[in-house]
Amino acid sequence: DVKVTQSSRYLVKRTGEKVFLECVQDMDHENMFWYRQDPGLGLRLIYFSYDVKMKEKGDIPEGYSVSREKKERFSLILESASTNQTSMYLCASSNPGTKNQPQHFGDGTRLSIL
Amino acid sequence: AQSVTQPDIHITVSEGASLELRCNYSYGATPYLFWYVQSPGQGLQLLLKYFSGDTLVQGIKGFEAEFKRSQSSFNLRKPSVHWSDAAEYFCAVGNLYSGAGSYQLTFGKGTKLSVIP
């Protein structure tokens, strides 16, 4: 079974801090994704990566960056955290090529910026 | 750009009653369509998916969905709801990202399901 692990379930940080959210998948998936989830807005794509060291902007990349140095790990970085980045963050992974491959999600990190 | 509309923010049904959650999408080509479920404090679990072929798709936990191209809809159904089905349900459309041979997902805003015992 696919396992997508997010390093923290809950995280509290202060305004202006640099914040790292980590995600690891164990199925050798090539694609990885970061979403944020807010009540009434559903999930919105922040960034995704389809290969090591590759990244593409999603719908709401402002204020975020990502890093993918190894295939299994995809990090989301808040360079200078702000209160409007308080949210639930979800990581997902998938494989390309085979059309029937869905995205598999981690349990999420609830991030609070004070 | 693709979009997904889930018209019902919150639905309440009695245990044992039938359920239909609505989903309408906007997408130029043949869509990849998904339903995910999220229990409180958890990530998203895939219920079912449609890529092509039979327009009636069976999923896990007794759910099914029907793709209707003429109505741009992909409604989720269950004949008899259980209390454990109380959760939030998300419909999503996949947009093929040709550079990666894979797709991005655009989600609806979700429908929260409450079940009365």
Side-chain angles (χ1 to χ4, degrees):
Chain A
D1 224 12
V2 177
K3 185 69 174 176
V4 179
T5 302
Q6 295 184 231
S7 55
S8 303
R9 292 298 303 274
Y10 301 93
L11 206 54
V12 180
K13 296 291 183 181
R14 297 205 174 274
T15 304
E17 280 192 71
K18 190 170 185 177
V19 180
F20 293 85
L21 303 183
E22 305 288 347
C23 175
V24 177
Q25 50 91 6
D26 66 357
M27 285 301 292
D28 203 35
H29 281 172
E30 296 190 19
N31 301 328
M32 297 189 76
F33 307 82
W34 275 107
Y35 296 87
R36 67 175 281 175
Q37 181 181 14
D38 300 288
L41 296 180
L43 281 79
R44 292 176 291 167
L45 182 64
I46 305 172
Y47 267 98
F48 67 100
S49 168
Y50 56 87
D51 201 353
V52 175
K53 297 190 185 296
M54 303 299 291
K55 61 183 180 183
E56 293 288 339
K57 293 180 179 179
D59 298 321
I60 52 164
E62 296 78 19
Y64 303 94
S65 62
V66 290
S67 172
R68 194 164 180 205
E69 296 296 318
K70 293 185 178 181
K71 191 175 186 179
E72 68 271 19
R73 184 180 298 271
F74 192 36
S75 303
L76 180 69
I77 304 160
L78 287 66
E79 294 289 344
S80 177
S82 64
T83 55
N84 63 12
Q85 293 178 308
T86 291
S87 187
M88 169 76 99
Y89 291 87
L90 290 160
C91 175
S93 71
S94 71
N95 253 347
T98 305
K99 287 200 316 183
N100 289 331
Q101 291 294 324
Q103 290 185 19
H104 298 268
F105 284 81
D107 285 339
T109 296
R110 188 167 292 281
L111 175 65
S112 297
I113 307 296
L114 305 180
Chain B
Q2 67 276 10
S3 65
V4 177
T5 301
Q6 293 180 247
D8 304 305
I9 296 173
H10 191 184
I11 285 181
T12 301
V13 299
S14 297
E15 191 168 17
S18 63
L19 172 70
E20 182 170 29
L21 301 182
R22 295 182 292 165
C23 173
N24 293 97
Y25 68 89
S26 171
Y27 188 67
T30 300
Y32 299 157
L33 295 163
F34 306 82
W35 276 100
Y36 284 86
V37 61
Q38 185 180 37
S39 298
Q42 302 297 315
L44 272 69
Q45 181 183 20
L46 180 70
L47 283 176
L48 47 78
K49 59 187 185 290
Y50 171 80
F51 283 83
S52 63
D54 194 346
T55 56
L56 186 62
V57 181
Q58 301 297 322
I60 63 171
K61 304 184 179 186
F63 285 93
E64 66 178 26
E66 187 171 12
F67 169 56
K68 293 185 177 180
R69 184 187 301 276
S70 61
Q71 298 177 21
S72 298
S73 69
F74 189 57
N75 293 349
L76 182 71
R77 301 193 294 247
K78 187 170 184 177
S80 177
V81 170
H82 188 263
W83 63 266
S84 60
D85 294 325
E88 191 158 19
Y89 292 79
F90 292 93
C91 181
V93 62
N95 174 34
L96 187 64
Y97 179 73
S98 58
S102 187
Y103 55 86
Q104 303 171 48
L105 289 177
T106 297
F107 284 87
K109 295 182 179 179
T111 298
K112 185 174 180 180
L113 175 65
S114 296
V115 180
I116 301 172

